[in-house]
Each structure stands twice: as C-alpha cells, then as structure tokens.
Amino acid sequence: MSEINETVQVAMLFRAGEVRPAAFIWNGHRYEVTRVTLAHKTRLGDVLQWHFAVETKGGGAARLAFDTLSLGWQLEAIG
C-alpha cells in the first residue's frame, strides 16, 4: 500500500445509525467503497479523527481519515 496523505472528496452513506464512506475522488478518479474493513478513532489534543480501512470496487484497498475539527478528509494510503 502506498502512503498518499492527500486531501480528497468523500461521499458518505448514512443508514440505520451507521455512517461510512461510500466513495471518494482521487486524481480525477472515483473509487466506489464496497466494504469498510476497519474503523477507529484517534485524538490529538482537541482534534478527533476517524480512520477507515476500506475495500474498493475492483479489489483495491485504501485508508481514509476524517478530521472532525476541519471537517476534511485525507487519503492516507491506497493500494
């Protein structure tokens, strides 16, 4: 998996009390999320971040992070 750490746009799915990334756009390409394999949170001072390990359509994988202070998304890694 290649470390990326770039800002991305993420579409979220809200269903039955669950929130998960549904798709993200990176380098002009839309990646459909087929499954969240891991979700956890970290805290750096007052900043809470949610981290998601996901599988994408076509068999790829990625790690996404959501910063609750800036409300921004980062693509941490893709492979």
Side-chain angles (χ1 to χ4, degrees):
M1 192 167 287
S2 300
E3 296 295 319
I4 303 297
N5 295 314
E6 292 182 17
T7 300
V8 291
Q9 294 177 345
V10 176
M12 295 294 294
L13 178 62
F14 298 85
R15 181 174 42 202
E18 180 181 280
V19 178
R20 69 173 188 87
F24 63 94
I25 297 173
W26 178 62
N27 274 354
H29 185 266
R30 182 181 170 94
Y31 294 84
E32 299 291 328
V33 173
T34 57
R35 185 167 81 114
V36 174
T37 58
L38 178 68
H40 69 96
K41 57 186 169 184
T42 59
R43 183 176 295 278
L44 281 166
D46 292 338
V47 179
L48 177 65
Q49 284 192 334
W50 279 94
H51 303 269
F52 298 89
V54 300
E55 292 177 354
T56 60
K57 192 173 186 176
R63 291 194 327 258
L64 299 164
F66 176 69
D67 184 307
T68 60
L69 183 63
S70 69
L71 302 179
W73 283 91
Q74 289 281 110
L75 174 61
E76 296 178 318
I78 196 165

